[in-house]
Amino acid sequence: MSAYYDAIVIGAGQAGPPLAGRLTAAGMKVALVERKLFGGTCVNTGCIPTKALVASAHAAHLARRAGEYGVMISGPVAVDMAAVKARKDAISAKSREGVEAWLQNMDGCTIHRGHARFHSPTEVQVGSERLAGQRIFINVGGRALVPDLPGVDRIPYLTNTTILELDRVPRHLVIVGGSYIGLEFAQMYRRFGSEVTVVEKGPRLVQREDPDVSDAIRQILENEGIAVRLSAECIRFAPRSDEIALGVDCRSGEPEVLGSHVLLAVGRQPNTHDLGLDEAGVAVDERGYIQVDDQLRTNVPGIWALGDCNGRGAFTHTAYNDFEIVAANLLDDAPRRVSDRIDAYALYIDPPLGRVGMTEDQARRSGRAIRIGMRPMTRVGRAVEKGETQGFMKIVVDAQSQAILGAAILGVGGDEAIHGVLDIMAAKAPYPTLQHAMHIHPTVSELIPTMLGELQPADHSAS
């Protein structure tokens, strides 16, 4: 016999628990299935633990710079990696326990621990139990992609998950992948005391960004002693005594890098391979992402997919927004769509990059007449006062409609200051609305209106 529920939620990541809360509040009987850790990627292997590590790395970096601020520290700055890990683990555990306790005490919600697998479009098998539901919501997240590179099966390697278990500082950490995850680990471990090399197959770091942003990020990392190898077309691995040899380039520079540890940070893949989606008839794309429409419905009536597994976003905030979209459409009679949201994210190196909307390159290729404003952080008073002047701010607007098309703030506080731009874009207000607002001094945000007052026409012949 099957236990019947009004709704089944598979996965306790960022979208699943709040959705269970809304559904039970609406009077539904809900089953929530979790096979491992409550809280999903963000709580256990993503945002929370990594940003806890970033904070420890920043403290070490600031301590080494103490003399610049007139603060004297006698002796060298040392990092106790076991204590750093313990702090990180405690922060994650508290968040995970909070999510689990919330669900356990949620009226109308029954937790089923184990792996869920579809038996039919309306039934899910969890161990020896079969659950039937009128509505099923898939929130199973993703995991690190392990590339099929020569020799990868011959070496021990780390992923963004397993590197979190290190309680010692690697002698030389070699990171394959020069994008968001890889660069955050690169800087933090350099600050912990590792020698660090970043190996990127492409011609520049974080290729999703404009070239000037990529170049500035590379400069920030190289200023801290991180080696960057770009255009690495011959990536391969081999054990070499007690080290790992990583082939980098067949044409120029040293052909190999010897490291004590290798981190693979080349992308993510969805946790959809073992759900039995074929039994339910749920369609996936060639990479395994569940195909959904603008309201996150799959091709099978009564089944939705939220979070990283649907390929419509790769962040905690996009997963949570997925929950909001589903809840609004299902419970509030308030139509919301994935296509309505504005692309926004951050890169948490130090200083961070806050991004919203189009890049300059995307805006140019859109065919619009655009205007661009830029300001180096050396001309931002708050950054100067804090001794954090690396980076710059850039904003792109539509010259005719005065709509803000996008912005990048690579600098101290950039991950927070970008929200003023995001809010104006979400309100569909013209840029003078932000330009004419009175901002607090001294802040990073106050220079955004100044930058808008210095907009320059873009050269449309530029690439």
Side-chain angles (χ1 to χ4, degrees):
M1 291 182 62
S2 298
Y4 180 81
Y5 293 91
D6 298 307
I8 300 170
V9 178
I10 305 174
Q14 288 302 300
L19 180 60
R22 284 297 313 274
L23 295 173
T24 54
M28 295 188 194
K29 180 183 176 183
V30 176
L32 186 137
V33 184
E34 175 54 55
R35 67 178 176 180
K36 195 173 182 182
L37 300 175
F38 288 78
T41 297
C42 176
V43 168
N44 297 290
T45 60
C47 317
I48 289 178
T50 58
K51 277 37 176 191
L53 292 176
V54 166
S56 291
H58 178 70
H61 180 66
L62 199 59
R64 295 187 185 103
R65 296 181 57 207
E68 298 175 26
Y69 298 88
V71 177
M72 299 299 109
I73 296 177
S74 58
V77 174
V79 173
D80 182 344
M81 197 63 204
V84 169
K85 179 180 181 298
R87 175 182 180 270
K88 175 265 297 179
D89 288 344
I91 292 170
S92 276
K94 184 177 181 181
S95 182
R96 179 171 58 250
E97 291 161 3
V99 173
E100 188 170 359
W102 176 35
L103 290 167
Q104 285 177 330
N105 295 311
M106 186 180 292
D107 290 339
C109 179
T110 302
I111 294 175
H112 294 265
R113 301 173 190 271
H115 176 67
R117 185 177 179 85
F118 278 92
H119 182 75
S120 74
T122 58
E123 295 174 298
V124 173
Q125 191 78 27
V126 183
S128 60
E129 296 181 287
R130 185 167 296 175
L131 315 179
Q134 182 181 352
R135 306 169 187 86
I136 300 178
F137 304 91
I138 306 170
N139 178 222
V140 294
R143 65 193 186 281
L145 174 68
V146 177
D148 185 20
L149 293 169
V152 72
D153 57 341
R154 300 175 57 205
I155 63 159
Y157 57 81
L158 299 165
T159 66
N160 70 292
T161 297
T162 57
I163 195 172
L164 297 177
E165 299 307 309
L166 292 182
D167 58 5
R168 295 184 181 181
V169 176
R171 182 192 65 77
H172 184 180
L173 178 63
V174 182
I175 299 173
V176 180
S179 197
Y180 305 92
I181 293 174
L183 298 187
E184 290 179 19
F185 279 111
Q187 188 184 55
M188 76 170 74
Y189 272 94
R190 178 59 184 157
R191 291 178 170 189
F192 289 149
S194 296
E195 182 181 351
V196 176
T197 300
V198 175
V199 178
E200 167 56 43
K201 187 175 182 179
R204 57 188 176 88
L205 299 177
V206 283
Q207 295 182 69
R208 180 176 179 176
E209 308 302 335
D210 284 324
D212 55 356
V213 174
S214 293
D215 291 344
I217 289 170
R218 179 181 178 180
Q219 188 62 58
I220 287 167
L221 298 177
E222 289 182 335
N223 285 347
E224 295 192 27
I226 296 170
V228 177
R229 295 294 301 270
L230 302 175
S231 301
E233 293 293 338
C234 295
I235 299 175
R236 62 197 182 280
F237 307 94
R240 186 75 54 82
S241 184
D242 60 346
E243 294 190 303
I244 300 167
L246 195 154
V248 179
D249 204 322
C250 303
R251 295 169 298 179
S252 62
E254 290 296 322
E256 283 188 342
V257 175
L258 285 177
S260 60
H261 296 70
V262 169
L263 169 64
L264 301 179
V266 296
R268 305 275 293 167
Q269 59 185 334
N271 292 327
T272 58
H273 62 293
D274 55 0
L275 287 177
L277 293 175
D278 53 335
E279 296 292 332
V282 174
V284 299
D285 67 13
E286 66 279 0
R287 296 182 297 165
Y289 288 101
I290 298 173
Q291 296 181 314
V292 294
D293 66 12
D294 218 13
Q295 295 183 332
L296 301 165
R297 297 171 296 202
T298 70
N299 63 302
V300 179
I303 302 179
W304 291 255
L306 302 84
D308 294 0
C309 68
N310 65 25
R312 300 296 293 269
F315 305 100
T316 293
H317 54 274
T318 53
Y320 191 84
N321 187 245
D322 282 358
F323 143 66
E324 294 178 313
I325 290 170
V326 169
N329 286 297
L330 191 63
L331 302 173
D332 300 333
D333 192 26
R336 292 180 63 176
R337 301 175 300 176
V338 175
S339 58
D340 288 335
R341 65 190 179 200
I342 300 167
D343 205 18
Y345 54 90
L347 165 64
Y348 289 98
I349 60 167
D350 177 29
L353 168 68
R355 276 276 294 111
V356 63
M358 293 181 177
T359 62
E360 177 187 344
D361 183 58
Q362 288 172 329
R364 288 179 182 277
R365 287 188 281 110
S366 73
R368 295 174 172 86
I370 62 172
R371 302 177 72 196
I372 300 170
M374 296 190 69
R375 193 171 192 86
M377 297 304 287
T378 52
R379 295 179 58 209
V380 176
R382 184 66 169 151
V384 174
E385 295 149 10
K386 292 170 70 72
E388 305 276 357
T389 57
Q390 295 187 103
F392 63 92
M393 302 191 296
K394 176 166 65 171
I395 196 163
V396 183
V397 306
D398 187 308
Q400 295 180 337
S401 69
Q402 297 190 321
I404 298 175
L405 300 178
I409 303 180
L410 174 62
V412 60
D415 54 329
E416 295 287 351
I418 198 70
H419 285 88
V421 180
L422 173 57
D423 291 343
I424 289 294
M425 293 176 68
K428 295 181 169 54
Y431 75 80
T433 304
L434 176 58
Q435 184 184 1
H436 298 159
M438 182 181 72
H439 284 63
I440 297 170
H441 174 79
T443 61
V444 173
S445 296
E446 69 172 322
L447 273 301
I448 297 175
T450 305
M451 182 170 57
L452 287 167
E454 301 170 346
L455 293 170
Q456 298 294 321
D459 177 8
H460 284 272
S461 66
S463 60

